[in-house]
């Protein structure tokens, strides 16, 4: 799949610091195929206009394409109704929307919000802020001996006090995949809702919100070959309809009086002001592109490449790769966070970039509590997408060995 799709991504065909670019930072953001770039350009060239309010051809066309993009998102994750899709700025804003709109209206003192220690700051911090305002309590499931979130520990934390469970589908650091369907069953058994942070799963596998039966799910366009500036919240209709607005402004109202206003139905209720119109249309083009390739085909390809990356990394001396080892019944997502003894991850990433044109990430990946739990304050991370190839992995490993030799030569 890598060789077939690479021609669609102009950015990949360049040299960086005198070497072929090897882009392995896809968990941070993905690259964009020409089809997405063309959709954006076509919008701005042919029918740029504001949506929902104009009464002229350009506005009608822009509105149709914007609402078509919503329908594409709904179909992509198998939502039962496109009105269950709210466009946001990114996944972070989508989680904040649920935390403030649903959380402030439903959480009271001593209620519990259950997360795992592997959650991204975008999942943790909004609920910390809302817990401070409501008196709710955050609880975190730990890791098991395989460095994966401890699902048994998570389940044991559920009780009648549990009001919402906020968990990743795929960890952006451990590459572990949570059993969402089961977690939803356990959560619903105690009357709790479930919000799934699907940033690292929607771009890489089939996600079916109806079969998962999640209450809320969030993702970001820029991680799934779409533009930055747009993401989405999926919410069950009955939940969104019962939620108060998150942001006030134009578009989200029905009538405005001096002393009060009435609000539009979802999704408009949660889309105040002029939305990221071109970007949403670009996301629709990204979904068309991914759908043409097939998410199952993408997933199968990436899982194999992820295994190759994992095995290849283990050949590097004194390396520790975080997260569970891939096995018959344990799929690792297409990313590896790692540390190498006595070499700082930022030195590794810098050397790889400057000497070899290899782009990986170094830092805490917005998962500081997880890194503290792992006993480190940072890690290096290589993350793949379907347009990466075995040659990318081989070039990365060769460059990594060169990096290790370079830094060890000072000892
Ligand atoms: C699991 C998970 N949850 C939420 C986010 C936030 O996505 P936004 O589009 O920034 O809102 C991310 C984005 N993680 C990037 C930037 S820190 C990474 O390098 O891992 C994520 O991986």
């Amino acid at each position: 799949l890598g060789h077939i799709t690479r021609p669609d991504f102009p950015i990949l065909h360049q040299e960086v610091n005198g070497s072929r670019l090897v882009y392995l930072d896809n968990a941070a953001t993905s690259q964009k195929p020409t089809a997405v770039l063309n959709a954006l350009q076509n919008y701005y060239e042919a029918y740029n206009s504001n949506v929902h309010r104009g009464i002229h051809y350009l506005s009608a066309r822009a509105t149709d394409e914007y609402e078509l993009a919503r329908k594409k998102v709904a179909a992509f994750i198998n939502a039962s109704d496109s009105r269950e899709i709210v466009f946001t700025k990114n996944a972070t804003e989508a989680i904040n929307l649920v935390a403030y709109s649903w959380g402030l209206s439903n959480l009271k003192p001593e209620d519990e919000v259950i997360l795992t220690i592997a959650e991204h700051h975008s999942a943790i911090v909004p609920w910390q802020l809302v817990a401070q305002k409501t008196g709710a309590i955050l609880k975190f499931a730990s890791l098991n001996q395989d460095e994966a979130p401890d699902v048994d520990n998570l389940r044991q934390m559920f009780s009648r006090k549990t009001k919402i469970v906020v968990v990743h589908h795929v960890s952006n650091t451990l590459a572990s995949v949570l059993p969402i369907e089961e977690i939803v069953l356990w959560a619903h058994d105690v009357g709790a809702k479930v919000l799934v942070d699907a940033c690292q799963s929607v771009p890489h596998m089939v996600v079916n919100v109806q079969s998962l039966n999640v209450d809320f799910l969030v993702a970001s366009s820029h991680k799934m070959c779409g533009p930055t500036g747009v993401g989405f919240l999926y919410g069950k209709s009955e939940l969104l309809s019962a939620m108060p607005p998150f942001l006030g402004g134009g578009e989200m109202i029905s009538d405005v009086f001096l002393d009060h206003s009435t609000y539009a139905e979802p999704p408009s209720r949660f889309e105040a002001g002029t939305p990221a119109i071109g970007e949403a249309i670009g996301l629709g083009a990204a979904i068309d592109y991914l759908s043409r390739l097939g998410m199952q085909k993408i997933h199968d390809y990436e899982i194999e490449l992820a295994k190759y990356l994992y095995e290849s990394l283990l050949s590097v001396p004194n390396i520790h790769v975080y997260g569970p080892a891939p096995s018959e019944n344990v799929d690792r997502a297409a990313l590896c966070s790692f540390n190498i003894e006595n070499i700082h991850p930022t030195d590794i990433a810098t050397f790889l970039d400057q000497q070899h044109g290899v782009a990986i990430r170094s830092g805490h990946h917005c998962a500081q509590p997880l890194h503290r739990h792992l006993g480190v304050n940072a890690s290096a991370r290589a993350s793949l997408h379907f347009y990466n190839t075995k040659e990318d992995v081989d070039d990365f490993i060769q460059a990594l060995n060169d990096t290790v030799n370079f830094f060890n030569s000072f000892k």
Side-chain angles (χ1 to χ4, degrees):
L1 204 51
H3 291 293
I4 295 167
T5 56
R6 284 176 67 82
D8 298 336
F9 294 79
I11 193 170
L12 296 176
H13 307 280
Q14 63 179 295
E15 287 204 346
V16 167
N17 298 326
S19 302
R20 173 178 83 88
L21 168 64
V22 179
Y23 183 76
L24 298 176
D25 195 18
N26 293 284
T29 197
S30 65
Q31 297 304 348
K32 321 307 171 191
T34 310
V36 169
L37 307 177
N38 291 343
L40 261 178
Q41 184 168 349
N42 184 46
Y43 164 69
Y44 283 110
E45 278 180 353
Y47 60 99
N48 169 58
S49 184
N50 214 325
V51 290
H52 297 140
R53 297 189 283 260
I55 42 175
H56 53 74
Y57 166 76
L58 290 183
S59 178
R61 173 115 188 255
T63 302
D64 290 348
E65 293 294 333
Y66 180 72
E67 290 306 325
L68 177 60
R70 191 190 309 277
K71 290 187 174 69
K72 289 177 180 178
V73 173
F76 194 61
I77 59 171
N78 195 38
S80 61
D81 187 320
S82 64
R83 288 168 297 182
E84 295 181 310
I85 303 300
V86 177
F87 282 124
T88 58
K89 183 171 62 184
N90 48 36
T92 301
E93 185 181 70
I95 296 173
N96 276 274
L97 193 165
V98 178
Y100 281 91
S101 173
W102 182 89
L104 286 182
S105 336
N106 288 278
L107 294 177
K108 57 187 189 311
E110 305 304 308
D111 284 348
E112 293 180 357
V113 180
I114 308 291
L115 308 96
T116 80
I117 197 158
E119 298 317 310
H120 190 279
H121 295 166
S122 296
I124 298 172
V125 179
W127 293 98
Q128 286 177 337
L129 293 169
V130 166
Q132 284 160 20
K133 296 176 188 300
T134 58
I137 297 161
L138 271 56
K139 290 192 164 182
F140 297 86
S142 61
L143 303 186
N144 61 27
Q145 74 283 357
D146 299 329
E147 275 184 359
D150 187 330
V151 175
D152 295 334
N153 176 233
L154 180 72
R155 182 177 191 177
Q156 285 153 17
M157 298 173 84
F158 292 1
S159 75
R160 283 287 158 202
K161 286 184 174 181
T162 310
K163 296 300 175 226
I164 190 163
V165 180
V166 179
V167 291
H168 62 278
H169 194 175
V170 168
S171 164
N172 74 329
T173 304
L174 301 172
S176 49
V177 185
L178 282 176
I180 295 301
E181 218 160 326
E182 288 166 281
I183 290 169
V184 169
L185 278 173
W186 303 333
H188 287 177
D189 273 354
V190 299
K193 305 300 179 198
V194 179
L195 184 158
V196 173
D197 171 357
C199 281
Q200 299 293 351
S201 59
V202 165
H204 301 283
M205 61 174 70
V206 173
V207 172
N208 182 328
V209 290
Q210 291 190 70
S211 59
L212 296 174
N213 196 23
V214 293
D215 299 293
F216 301 106
L217 181 137
V218 305
S220 268
S221 159
H222 69 93
K223 296 185 194 292
M224 53 192 286
C225 299
T228 50
V230 68
F232 63 86
L233 164 68
Y234 159 78
K236 285 183 174 174
S237 294
E238 61 273 20
L239 294 175
L240 293 178
S241 299
M243 285 159 56
F246 172 43
L247 299 175
E251 194 66 25
M252 52 71 73
I253 50 92
S254 174
D255 288 294
V256 178
F257 304 89
L258 292 183
D259 62 349
H260 78 287
S261 297
T262 56
Y263 308 119
E265 287 304 304
S268 296
R269 182 183 302 165
F270 302 107
E271 295 184 3
T274 299
I277 306 164
E279 289 69 17
I281 293 167
L283 171 57
I287 287 174
D288 290 341
Y289 181 86
L290 294 173
S291 302
R292 278 196 297 275
L293 293 176
M295 293 314 293
Q296 190 56 51
K297 196 170 169 188
I298 287 174
H299 185 244
D300 295 343
Y301 176 78
E302 289 188 7
I303 288 299
E304 286 314 304
L305 199 57
K307 279 185 192 141
Y308 185 68
L309 171 65
Y310 184 84
E311 300 304 336
S312 304
L313 274 172
L314 292 187
S315 68
V316 175
N318 306 312
I319 194 169
H320 179 80
V321 181
Y322 298 103
S327 68
E328 276 316 300
N329 49 20
V330 173
D331 272 353
R332 268 185 69 98
L335 63 93
C336 284
S337 301
F338 61 92
N339 268 307
I340 295 173
E341 252 172 62
N342 303 322
I343 308 175
H344 194 284
T346 301
D347 289 339
I348 292 173
T350 306
F351 193 91
L352 285 172
D353 172 60
Q354 291 185 356
Q355 300 300 318
H356 295 280
V358 175
I360 69 167
R361 179 160 177 181
S362 167
H364 50 62
H365 319 316
C366 298
Q368 277 181 311
L370 173 61
H371 277 81
R372 267 188 221 103
H373 184 82
L374 293 167
V376 293
N377 56 28
S379 63
R381 185 188 67 189
S383 50
L384 305 164
H385 221 318
F386 57 85
Y387 42 72
N388 285 121
T389 62
K390 281 186 75 176
E391 289 77 13
D392 287 340
V393 174
D394 293 340
D395 288 355
F396 164 52
I397 297 298
Q398 188 177 347
L400 187 59
N401 281 312
D402 181 40
T403 306
V404 171
N405 294 336
F406 174 80
F407 284 104
N408 286 342
S409 63
F410 295 110
K411 291 198 174 47

